[in-house]
Amino acid sequence: MTTEQLRERWGDSLLTVLTVVLLIMMFVVAPLQALGLFEFQVFELLLALFLVGGVFVMSGSALVVVMMLVALIMIAVGAVLRLRAPSILDLNLFAGSWLMVGITMAVTVARATFAPGRVTYHRVIGAVLLYLTVAVIFAALYTFVGTLVPRAFSGMKVEDSPALASQLIYFSFATLTTTGYGDVAPLHPIARSLCNVEAIFGQLFPATVLARLVTLELAHRDRE
């Protein structure tokens, strides 16, 4: 079965499957990894590989293949360096790989979710996946800022540790949803600027997505 046939058959369903995978990675695997359970680091890598494969099937683009391969190489190199001697370098490699995966997945999911046609259950879930992916992208950006400026955040030290992923996800969603518990706060101007952008996106996204999906559904009914 070719990639085109897989995309036609499973394209919409993959939106739901990838959403479940990403939810498990962020809200189950990351917290357990923060507790120091090494086996969940391996499990996270396997889920990441599945995530990359799903994005490739949905897009079918050669550029996506190249970006995913580069991201996987960065993850592999970072893992080797972490085993030998944890440092800022492997942390940035992980952040760079997740930034590439996040951006690629966001573009791919947005195209599938907002394509012309009937708005199915899977496409609504795809909008949720896009929202989650944005949080991943900003978590990667916060990692870069935190490694370049050690005191960019109060209440969170960006260093190579099993708990970092959980902390970054927590802070990113607290910013995206404008919850702002106050236990972690940006201090550096660039960090604050990124938080502003993420918070604005988090406020505008629900209304914008709802309007777009309603428009697509009405346009599909008019053509019937």
Side-chain angles (χ1 to χ4, degrees):
M1 186 175 292
T2 64
T3 305
E4 182 66 27
Q5 291 173 325
L6 285 172
R7 185 164 59 253
E8 290 180 358
R9 183 173 181 180
W10 302 106
D12 280 358
S13 300
L14 273 174
L15 291 171
T16 300
V17 173
L18 294 181
T19 302
V20 173
V21 170
L22 190 58
L23 285 170
I24 293 174
M25 290 181 68
M26 290 192 298
F27 302 124
V28 178
V29 176
L32 292 174
Q33 181 179 316
L35 297 176
L37 301 176
F38 178 77
E39 55 270 22
F40 284 99
Q41 298 184 34
V42 178
F43 187 49
E44 182 182 32
L45 179 59
L46 294 176
L47 289 177
L49 291 174
F50 184 86
L51 205 66
V52 168
V55 172
F56 166 65
V57 171
M58 285 182 59
S59 66
S61 168
L63 179 60
V64 170
V65 175
V66 173
M67 293 186 67
M68 293 297 98
L69 286 176
V70 172
L72 288 175
I73 291 172
M74 293 171 67
I75 291 174
V77 173
V80 172
L81 292 176
R82 170 175 285 177
L83 290 174
R84 296 181 60 183
S87 65
I88 296 299
L89 176 59
D90 57 82
L91 190 58
N92 282 322
L93 284 172
F94 283 124
S97 64
W98 275 110
L99 181 62
M100 293 178 65
V101 171
I103 292 175
T104 305
M105 187 163 63
V107 173
T108 302
V109 170
R111 287 178 176 176
T113 301
F114 302 123
R118 178 174 293 280
V119 178
T120 63
Y121 165 81
H122 295 296
R123 292 177 68 176
V124 173
I125 297 299
V128 176
L129 177 58
L130 181 58
Y131 189 78
L132 298 175
T133 304
V134 170
V136 173
I137 293 173
F138 277 94
L141 294 175
Y142 295 142
T143 304
F144 287 128
V145 175
T147 55
L148 292 174
V149 185
R151 297 183 179 179
F153 302 93
S154 67
M156 179 174 67
K157 188 175 183 181
V158 180
E159 58 184 4
D160 195 349
S161 69
L164 180 61
S166 182
Q167 292 175 341
L168 288 168
I169 291 170
Y170 165 77
F171 176 68
S172 185
F173 274 104
T175 305
L176 185 64
T177 58
T178 65
T179 305
Y181 292 110
D183 51 346
V184 181
L187 300 179
H188 193 273
I190 294 179
R192 288 177 173 176
S193 180
L194 286 174
C195 289
N196 287 336
V197 173
E198 186 176 18
I200 291 172
F201 180 89
Q203 291 296 298
L204 296 179
F205 183 83
T208 304
V209 168
L210 180 61
R212 176 59 177 166
L213 292 178
V214 169
T215 300
L216 287 172
E217 179 64 18
L218 292 176
H220 178 77
R221 291 181 180 181
D222 290 340
R223 289 194 296 269
E224 291 182 342

